[in-house]
Amino acid sequence: MAENPIDNVILLPKTIDFYQIEITRMLEMERYEEAMELLRFLGRCNSGDARTDEEWRALLAWLETMQPGKSADDPVEEEEETEADLFRQHLRMKTENEPEYTTQLLEMLRPEVTPDMQLLSLEQLAYLEEPVQLEGKGVTESLVEWLQNSTVTPWVQFKALQTLKIRGFNGQIRVLKLGVPLTIDVARVPLEMKQYPLEFIAILNKLQQVAEVNEPTLVYFAEQIWEQFLAYIYGTATYEQLENLDRALTNVWAAALHCVLADVLSGTVNEIEIQQLYEITSDLKLQMKQAYQTVRSFADTFPFALK
């Protein structure tokens, strides 16, 4: 294996827990390519536990046998479109064999259903073809009505907005987020990281540049958590604030995210060192504290065992 800066790095226990949960979620949602990418990343690290390392290697080997002809070096051309088409075909066959399957998916959005199951339902509803009638309403119309009249977690709400965009819904929708009414233009909802404004990508890039040298195991973790944070704040005043950052405040938010991750994963934060790494001057320390509190508030409510 070629020499790489993250090879032989030992993962912290909470980092391992996060990765295990991420792998499980990817498999439940049939995101096999993403799961294999993550497992290849983990194969270049060291969990500190031989059994865990072996489990990850075995799972990767099994997934690769289920995806013949693909390897880490294969070019990815139109991968998303191809996977989406295959998923639509799978769902078409599913609904043909089980006419009640659409109703079952929509019923999984009831308030008493856990957020992870709601996310799983939305992942499938995004690619379920119309026309499907449910008491006179199609899937898209049912989703709009549910989203506008329900109180759900920010992550489920954001996934629902992405689902509507994938389904081709055009227009605005009124939702309640963290107790605040918002009007969201569904056409502007990002479906992946590269579709976010450049300011958001710059924050992640800055953290990755620093972490690759100083704490390389944070790199993958940071990307996943940053995307979850953006889903958490999407459409809010904080999101709008981040769309108009200058370079100095980009460093502030990258440093704040770095501090939260270090605190969550190891329980210790060398704040002075992090400030130096991100060139945080004395006149920016208050902004960094405020940014840290915002990201920390998100981390404390994150449902997938972040804390």
Side-chain angles (χ1 to χ4, degrees):
M1 182 180 292
E3 186 176 346
N4 188 293
I6 72 167
D7 289 342
N8 300 319
V9 172
I10 297 178
L11 302 173
L12 294 168
K14 287 190 178 181
T15 311
I16 295 172
D17 292 341
F18 173 81
Y19 288 142
Q20 296 282 36
I21 293 168
E22 279 293 292
I23 292 169
T24 300
R25 290 179 59 221
M26 289 173 182
L27 295 179
E28 287 176 346
M29 296 180 179
E30 301 184 11
R31 290 155 50 187
Y32 302 122
E33 287 294 329
E34 292 180 54
M36 287 191 290
E37 180 183 352
L38 174 54
L39 287 164
R40 292 184 185 112
F41 165 82
L42 294 172
R44 292 153 52 200
C45 304
N46 183 351
S47 71
D49 178 20
R51 185 172 62 179
T52 298
D53 292 336
E54 179 57 34
E55 287 177 355
W56 286 341
R57 284 193 293 269
L59 179 56
L60 175 59
W62 178 78
L63 287 171
E64 288 176 338
T65 62
M66 300 297 290
Q67 303 283 318
K70 292 186 178 182
S71 70
D73 299 324
D74 288 339
V76 180
E77 298 179 358
E78 305 296 333
E79 177 182 331
E80 292 182 2
E81 183 179 353
T82 301
E83 289 187 357
D85 289 343
L86 291 173
F87 196 31
R88 285 190 177 94
Q89 294 174 22
H90 166 73
L91 290 171
R92 189 184 305 121
M93 294 177 59
K94 185 78 172 177
T95 53
E96 287 175 355
N97 294 328
E98 301 178 41
E100 71 281 3
Y101 190 66
T102 301
T103 301
Q104 293 173 357
L105 289 177
L106 289 169
E107 287 179 348
M108 288 171 64
L109 301 177
R110 296 193 310 268
E112 63 270 21
V113 178
T114 59
D116 59 327
M117 295 303 296
Q118 291 179 331
L119 290 170
L120 182 59
S121 170
L122 290 167
E123 189 81 16
Q124 297 178 73
L125 288 169
Y127 297 98
L128 200 66
E129 294 179 351
E130 300 273 20
V132 179
Q133 296 299 314
L134 181 74
E135 298 179 359
K137 293 175 289 188
V139 172
T140 301
E141 185 181 354
S142 298
L143 285 172
V144 170
E145 184 176 301
W146 164 76
L147 191 55
Q148 291 187 136
N149 296 289
S150 302
T151 300
V152 296
T153 68
W155 298 281
V156 171
Q157 185 182 85
F158 186 73
K159 172 58 73 173
L161 292 169
Q162 290 181 317
T163 296
L164 287 175
K165 181 172 182 176
I166 293 171
R167 294 191 63 79
F169 176 83
N170 291 313
Q172 296 182 331
I173 184 171
R174 291 281 292 176
V175 298
L176 191 67
K177 183 164 194 170
L178 301 174
V180 178
L182 301 173
T183 300
I184 304 293
D185 183 355
V186 174
R188 296 187 60 195
V189 175
L191 297 178
E192 52 187 337
M193 192 65 212
K194 66 182 180 182
Q195 294 179 358
Y196 281 96
L198 294 177
E199 290 80 4
F200 297 98
I201 298 173
I203 292 171
L204 179 61
N205 287 343
K206 179 61 179 180
L207 186 148
Q208 290 175 328
Q209 290 171 7
V210 173
E212 282 176 356
V213 176
N214 296 275
E215 294 185 68
T217 56
L218 287 186
V219 174
Y220 185 92
F221 192 86
E223 182 174 351
Q224 303 302 309
I225 296 305
W226 184 239
E227 287 196 66
Q228 295 292 346
F229 174 71
L230 294 181
Y232 178 75
I233 65 169
Y234 186 80
T236 66
T238 300
Y239 188 91
E240 294 177 1
Q241 173 193 347
L242 289 175
E243 286 185 288
N244 300 286
L245 292 183
D246 58 24
R247 179 180 178 277
L249 291 180
T250 295
N251 288 1
V252 162
W253 278 88
L257 178 61
H258 193 138
C259 282
V260 171
L261 289 174
D263 189 14
V264 167
L265 294 176
S266 64
T268 59
V269 180
N270 190 332
E271 187 173 339
I272 295 177
E273 179 182 353
I274 291 175
Q275 289 175 351
Q276 292 173 344
L277 290 171
Y278 290 91
E279 303 175 351
I280 305 301
T281 56
S282 58
D283 59 321
L284 294 174
K285 289 183 179 179
L286 177 59
Q287 288 95 322
M288 180 178 167
K289 180 178 180 181
Q290 293 170 338
Y292 172 84
Q293 290 172 342
T294 300
V295 181
R296 183 74 224 194
S297 175
F298 146 78
D300 288 339
T301 60
F302 191 60
F304 302 119
L306 177 60
K307 57 185 187 298

